[in-house]
Amino acid sequence: MYGEPALPAGFDHLPYADPAAPKGGTISIGEAGGFDSLNPYIIRGRAPWNLGPWTVETLMARSLDEPFTLYGLLAESVETDEARTFVEFTLREGARFSDGSPVTVDDVIWSFETLAADGQPRYAGSWSKVAETIRTGPRSVRFTFTEPDRELPLVLGLRPVLKKAQWEGKDFTESTLEPPIGSGPYVVDGVDPGRSVTYRRNPDWWGHDLPINRGLYNFDTIRTEFYADTSVMFEAFKSGNLSLWRELNPARWAINFDFPAVRDGGVKLEEVAHRRPSGMEGLVMNTRRPMFDDWRVREALILAFDFTLINQTLTGGVEPRIDSYFANSDLGMTPGAAASQAVADLLAPYKDSLAPGALDGYALPRQDSAGAQRENLRRAMRLLVEAGWHVEQGVLTRDGKPFRFEILLPQGNDQVATVTQIYVEALKRLGIEARITSVDSAQYKERTTNFDYDMTHILRALSLSPGTEQVLYWGSAGANQPGSRNLMGMMSPAADAMIAAMLRAKEPDEFRNATEALDRILMTGRFVVPFWYSKVSRIAYRGDLRHPGHVPLYGDWPGFMPETWWQEP
């Protein structure tokens, strides 16, 4: 995205892959919830998380050791101009699907058009900027753009390429348990609906010896097991039914990992530092609901969240709070600090629409003393009164209607449920009645797809090169588009403009300024009650598993674990 790729032409392998890693063995991974579809590219149904990356390939592949750099995968070459007004890909001659048929330009064009028309909303946004698709040769295709967009060639390079012939006479939008035919390293070998999926490494995989793949995808079999909740899943790991466990709670990491398999070396424990942004995790308010359309109300709900108590209760108080969408990086705002002149200039045209603090500084409520939370609740009540709410017989009301709302949660995430339960009790002190509704994964997917919630859990992992995906997360176009990931219903011309500036930026400083400006809009919008984040990943794994010594920039992000791992013979 910026500057030159780190790896030279003719590189042998990715720096975080070991080309000498042995092939073979089995690894079992757990996932909370269930699944009712094997098509991960559509709105309907819930598909296993890694089904797409393990079975379907893209024209180019990302290096996890660089903020945003792609190298050829299905494509042997890529061409674009300085302004990036077009991109042309040339397919590798030997690229083949798992059934032995060649990957063709027709497959590429059909995949891109079908995903844009019938797939998840994230595909349509970028495709709307494609003015023309031109077949330029038997193995090459050119996409010209309606406007320069520095990221768009990379975005198209990461679009999945499906087999057109598989879908002839079928409705692509319908949920199905027929797996997609892809060209990737694995094929779906067994399915127990809702309970497990088994992937088998394709011995005839066309791309096994490409430099971008060398040392990756070493297991013969990967099995994903689904569990109703994380506590049951952890017991399955302890008993040896699962090979890996990523512990998100440092308190549990300190006290729950002294079981026999750890003591005798059958399970290894490791902390892996990462350099990725914090992203955002918390409880998001749906501003499509009238009760949440006032920033003062949203600030009051943030003030009511006793982070110190909750953090101490659940993590031992060791994790830092998320005080920026891009914390743990140089992309985000400094809490409490005023915007630099460059950032202020970007926001100046939208000054009148910005929430308080966007320009002169904003920070989450202080909780650094015994009386701080009591003062936070007093401030919260003052803001609620300003917004027209008042307490009658212990109930917060406005126009005779009580402040009452539902917090929708997916079943299986015990930690989020515990956080929310403590929060609900705190809200009672303001006269607010919040009730928790936990539903299974299918219901949760259906309700969030249609924005049928007042408040719900949000988790947005962000990279060091945020770009087009920000449109899906926060863009006005998706605010009322079912299936978009704009959970808060944010409609902000200022945010749209900052995302556009991020995509236009040619220099790192331009990009950082635009990203900080977006961060200020998001944080001062007060859409989310933020939780905490970890600067390390805590991983427990079976003793015969190994991984390369070089940990990539993005730490244990998907693509590093388990793709680079192997089983010791």
Side-chain angles (χ1 to χ4, degrees), residues 170-477:
K170 300 176 183 176
D171 185 349
F172 188 78
T173 66
E174 289 294 331
S175 178
T176 177
L177 288 177
E178 177 186 357
I181 296 174
S183 59
Y186 291 92
V187 295
V188 174
D189 193 45
V191 177
D192 186 353
R195 301 184 65 181
S196 69
V197 181
T198 302
Y199 304 88
R200 172 177 52 84
R201 188 163 58 86
N202 182 2
D204 300 318
W205 179 36
W206 75 276
H208 70 93
D209 202 37
L210 292 178
I212 192 71
N213 294 324
R214 203 167 289 148
L216 303 181
Y217 310 111
N218 301 308
F219 295 101
D220 280 347
T221 303
I222 301 177
R223 183 176 175 86
T224 302
E225 299 275 1
F226 292 80
Y227 295 87
D229 60 63
T230 53
S231 59
V232 175
M233 191 161 67
F234 181 62
E235 293 303 316
F237 169 70
K238 287 172 59 178
S239 66
N241 290 332
L242 297 178
S243 309
L244 288 168
W245 180 265
R246 182 183 177 196
E247 180 53 66
L248 300 178
N249 188 311
R252 288 200 299 259
W253 181 252
I255 63 175
N256 286 358
F257 287 82
D258 189 31
F259 51 89
V262 175
R263 293 194 293 270
D264 65 21
V267 167
K268 295 183 177 182
L269 307 180
E270 188 172 349
E271 292 190 4
V272 180
H274 65 78
R275 291 165 284 171
R276 63 180 184 268
S278 63
M280 177 54 69
E281 182 178 14
L283 295 172
V284 61
M285 292 167 259
N286 185 358
T287 62
R288 303 170 189 87
R289 302 289 204 250
M291 70 181 69
F292 296 130
D293 65 3
D294 189 318
W295 73 265
R296 294 170 297 186
V297 171
R298 300 195 297 272
E299 174 76 354
L301 294 180
I302 292 171
L303 284 160
F305 189 85
D306 192 341
F307 174 77
T308 300
L309 169 66
I310 292 172
N311 192 30
Q312 183 65 44
T313 302
L314 273 80
T315 78
V318 303
E319 301 288 47
R321 193 171 193 187
I322 299 172
D323 54 13
S324 157
Y325 283 64
F326 298 94
N328 202 45
S329 78
D330 64 353
L331 297 177
M333 57 177 259
T334 299
S340 67
Q341 189 60 54
V343 173
D345 289 345
L346 284 170
L347 293 172
Y350 309 94
K351 183 177 180 180
D352 292 342
S353 68
L354 299 177
L359 292 173
D360 53 354
Y362 172 76
L364 291 172
R366 290 177 53 197
Q367 294 187 322
D368 54 1
S369 66
Q373 188 55 23
R374 289 193 296 272
E375 175 56 29
N376 287 340
L377 289 174
R378 286 192 287 268
R379 286 175 55 201
M381 184 55 69
R382 288 195 294 268
L383 286 168
L384 290 167
V385 170
E386 288 178 20
W389 295 88
H390 61 278
V391 176
E392 291 183 2
Q393 298 180 340
V395 178
L396 190 68
T397 62
R398 185 173 67 182
D399 300 328
K401 297 179 180 179
F403 198 129
R404 181 183 298 145
F405 66 92
E406 176 191 49
I407 304 176
L408 178 70
L409 299 179
Q411 292 174 352
N413 194 324
D414 297 339
Q415 180 165 281
V416 172
T418 301
V419 171
T420 308
Q421 287 164 359
I422 298 173
Y423 181 49
V424 165
E425 290 302 310
L427 290 173
K428 291 179 181 178
R429 299 175 64 182
L430 295 173
I432 296 173
E433 179 188 339
R435 67 186 186 280
I436 300 172
T437 300
S438 296
V439 297
D440 62 35
S441 57
Q443 289 178 288
Y444 187 75
K445 174 75 162 25
E446 177 68 19
R447 288 191 60 177
T448 53
T449 293
N450 294 295
F451 311 126
D452 182 15
Y453 51 86
D454 299 324
M455 180 182 281
T456 190
H457 178 241
I458 186 172
L459 177 61
R460 291 288 176 265
L462 300 177
S463 78
L464 290 166
S465 183
T468 301
E469 78 285 349
Q470 304 298 298
V471 176
L472 184 66
Y473 295 163
W474 335 113
S476 300

Side-chain angles (χ1 to χ4, degrees), residues 80-86 150 506:
T80 188
D81 59 354
E82 180 65 25
R84 300 195 180 179
T85 61
F86 77 93
R150 289 186 51 77
K506 293 183 179 180

